[in-house]
Coordinates of all heavy atoms in Angstrom, one line a residue:
F15 N 9.9 4.8 2.4 CA 10.3 3.7 3.3 C 10.8 2.5 2.4 O 11.9 1.9 2.8 CB 9.1 3.2 4.1 CG 9.4 2.2 5.1 CD1 9.8 2.5 6.4 CD2 9.4 0.8 4.7 CE1 10.0 1.5 7.3 CE2 9.6 -0.2 5.7 CZ 10.0 0.2 7.0
L16 N 10.1 2.2 1.4 CA 10.5 1.0 0.6 C 11.6 1.3 -0.4 O 12.2 0.4 -0.9 CB 9.3 0.5 -0.2 CG 8.2 -0.2 0.6 CD1 7.0 -0.3 -0.2 CD2 8.6 -1.5 1.1
G17 N 11.9 2.6 -0.7 CA 12.8 2.9 -1.8 C 12.2 2.4 -3.1 O 12.8 1.6 -3.9
A18 N 11.0 2.9 -3.5 CA 10.2 2.3 -4.6 C 10.9 2.4 -5.9 O 10.9 1.5 -6.7 CB 8.9 3.0 -4.7
R19 N 11.7 3.5 -6.2 CA 12.3 3.6 -7.5 C 13.4 2.5 -7.6 O 13.6 2.0 -8.7 CB 13.0 5.0 -7.6 CG 12.0 6.1 -7.6 CD 12.6 7.4 -7.7 NE 11.7 8.5 -7.8 CZ 12.0 9.8 -7.7 NH1 13.2 10.2 -7.5 NH2 11.1 10.7 -7.7
Q20 N 14.0 2.1 -6.5 CA 15.0 1.1 -6.6 C 14.4 -0.3 -6.7 O 14.8 -1.2 -7.5 CB 15.9 1.1 -5.4 CG 17.0 0.1 -5.4 CD 18.1 0.4 -6.5 OE1 18.0 1.3 -7.3 NE2 19.1 -0.4 -6.5
S21 N 13.3 -0.6 -6.0 CA 12.7 -1.9 -6.0 C 11.9 -2.2 -7.2 O 11.7 -3.4 -7.5 CB 11.8 -2.0 -4.7 OG 10.6 -1.3 -4.9
G22 N 11.4 -1.2 -7.9 CA 10.6 -1.4 -9.1 C 9.2 -1.7 -8.9 O 8.5 -2.1 -9.8
L23 N 8.7 -1.6 -7.7 CA 7.3 -1.9 -7.4 C 6.4 -0.7 -7.8 O 6.7 0.4 -7.6 CB 7.1 -2.1 -5.9 CG 7.6 -3.4 -5.3 CD1 7.5 -3.4 -3.8 CD2 6.7 -4.5 -5.8
P24 N 5.2 -1.1 -8.4 CA 4.2 0.0 -8.6 C 3.7 0.5 -7.3 O 3.2 -0.3 -6.5 CB 3.1 -0.8 -9.4 CG 3.7 -2.1 -9.8 CD 4.8 -2.4 -8.9
M25 N 3.8 1.7 -7.0 CA 3.4 2.3 -5.7 C 1.9 2.6 -5.7 O 1.3 2.8 -6.7 CB 4.2 3.5 -5.4 CG 5.7 3.3 -5.3 SD 6.1 2.1 -4.0 CE 5.5 2.9 -2.6
L26 N 1.3 2.5 -4.5 CA -0.1 2.9 -4.3 C -0.2 4.4 -4.4 O 0.6 5.1 -3.9 CB -0.5 2.4 -3.0 CG -0.6 0.9 -2.8 CD1 -0.9 0.6 -1.3 CD2 -1.7 0.3 -3.6
R27 N -1.2 4.9 -5.2 CA -1.4 6.3 -5.4 C -2.4 6.9 -4.4 O -2.2 8.0 -4.0 CB -1.9 6.6 -6.8 CG -0.9 6.2 -7.9 CD -1.5 6.2 -9.2 NE -2.2 7.4 -9.6 CZ -3.1 7.5 -10.6 NH1 -3.4 6.5 -11.3 NH2 -3.7 8.7 -10.8
F28 N -3.4 6.1 -4.0 CA -4.5 6.6 -3.2 C -4.5 6.0 -1.8 O -4.8 6.7 -0.8 CB -5.8 6.4 -3.9 CG -5.8 6.9 -5.4 CD1 -5.9 6.1 -6.4 CD2 -5.6 8.3 -5.6 CE1 -5.9 6.5 -7.7 CE2 -5.6 8.8 -6.9 CZ -5.7 7.9 -8.0
A29 N -4.3 4.7 -1.7 CA -4.4 4.0 -0.4 C -3.1 4.1 0.3 O -2.1 4.2 -0.2 CB -4.8 2.6 -0.7
D30 N -3.3 4.1 1.7 CA -2.1 4.0 2.6 C -2.3 2.8 3.4 O -3.3 2.7 4.2 CB -2.1 5.3 3.5 CG -0.9 5.3 4.4 OD1 -0.5 4.2 4.9 OD2 -0.4 6.4 4.7
P31 N -1.5 1.7 3.3 CA -1.7 0.5 4.0 C -1.8 0.7 5.5 O -2.6 -0.1 6.1 CB -0.4 -0.4 3.6 CG 0.0 0.2 2.3 CD -0.3 1.7 2.4
E32 N -1.1 1.6 6.1 CA -1.1 1.8 7.5 C -2.5 2.5 7.9 O -3.1 2.0 8.9 CB 0.0 2.7 7.9 CG 0.3 2.8 9.4 CD 0.9 1.6 10.0 OE1 1.3 0.7 9.2 OE2 1.1 1.5 11.2
K33 N -2.9 3.5 7.2 CA -4.1 4.2 7.6 C -5.4 3.4 7.1 O -6.4 3.5 7.7 CB -4.2 5.6 6.9 CG -3.1 6.5 7.5 CD -3.2 7.9 6.7 CE -2.1 8.8 7.2 NZ -2.0 10.1 6.4
D34 N -5.2 2.6 6.0 CA -6.4 1.9 5.5 C -6.3 0.4 5.7 O -6.6 -0.4 4.8 CB -6.5 2.2 4.0 CG -6.6 3.7 3.7 OD1 -7.5 4.3 4.3 OD2 -5.9 4.2 2.8
E35 N -5.9 0.1 6.9 CA -5.7 -1.4 7.2 C -6.9 -2.2 7.1 O -6.9 -3.3 6.6 CB -5.1 -1.5 8.6 CG -4.6 -2.9 8.9 CD -3.9 -3.1 10.2 OE1 -3.6 -2.0 10.9 OE2 -3.6 -4.2 10.6
E36 N -8.1 -1.6 7.5 CA -9.3 -2.4 7.3 C -9.7 -2.6 5.9 O -10.1 -3.7 5.5 CB -10.5 -1.6 8.0 CG -10.5 -1.6 9.5 CD -11.7 -1.0 10.1 OE1 -12.7 -0.9 9.4 OE2 -11.7 -0.6 11.3
L37 N -9.4 -1.6 5.0 CA -9.7 -1.8 3.6 C -8.7 -2.9 3.0 O -9.1 -3.6 2.1 CB -9.5 -0.5 2.8 CG -10.6 0.5 2.8 CD1 -10.2 1.8 2.1 CD2 -11.9 -0.1 2.1
L38 N -7.5 -2.8 3.5 CA -6.5 -3.8 3.1 C -6.9 -5.2 3.4 O -6.8 -6.1 2.6 CB -5.1 -3.5 3.7 CG -4.0 -4.4 3.4 CD1 -3.7 -4.6 1.9 CD2 -2.7 -3.9 4.1
E39 N -7.4 -5.4 4.6 CA -7.9 -6.7 5.0 C -9.0 -7.2 4.1 O -9.1 -8.3 3.7 CB -8.3 -6.7 6.5 CG -7.2 -6.5 7.5 CD -6.5 -7.8 7.8 OE1 -6.7 -8.8 7.1 OE2 -5.7 -7.9 8.8
A40 N -9.9 -6.2 3.9 CA -11.1 -6.6 3.0 C -10.6 -6.9 1.6 O -11.1 -7.9 0.9 CB -12.1 -5.4 3.0
A41 N -9.6 -6.2 1.1 CA -9.1 -6.4 -0.3 C -8.4 -7.8 -0.4 O -8.5 -8.5 -1.4 CB -8.2 -5.3 -0.7
R42 N -7.8 -8.2 0.7 CA -7.1 -9.5 0.7 C -8.2 -10.6 0.6 O -8.0 -11.6 -0.2 CB -6.3 -9.7 2.0 CG -5.0 -9.0 2.0 CD -4.4 -8.8 3.5 NE -4.2 -10.1 4.1 CZ -3.1 -10.8 4.1 NH1 -2.1 -10.4 3.3 NH2 -3.0 -12.0 4.8
G43 N -9.2 -10.5 1.4 CA -10.3 -11.5 1.3 C -11.0 -11.5 -0.1 O -11.3 -12.6 -0.7
A44 N -11.2 -10.3 -0.7 CA -11.8 -10.2 -2.0 C -10.9 -10.8 -3.1 O -11.4 -11.4 -4.0 CB -12.2 -8.7 -2.3

């Protein structure tokens, strides 16, 4: 979706922001 190779961003290997939204919210607070 992001075209990671072009954007140069390190991609997530294990987490999925869509499926792991609760974990993402917790990580933002942490």
Side-chain angles (χ1 to χ4, degrees):
F15 183 93
L16 290 168
R19 291 178 182 172
Q20 182 69 357
S21 70
L23 283 172
M25 297 303 297
L26 294 169
R27 294 165 57 193
F28 308 116
D30 182 326
E32 191 75 4
K33 295 177 183 175
D34 299 312
E35 188 171 352
E36 286 187 20
L37 278 178
L38 176 57
E39 291 279 13
R42 281 162 61 86

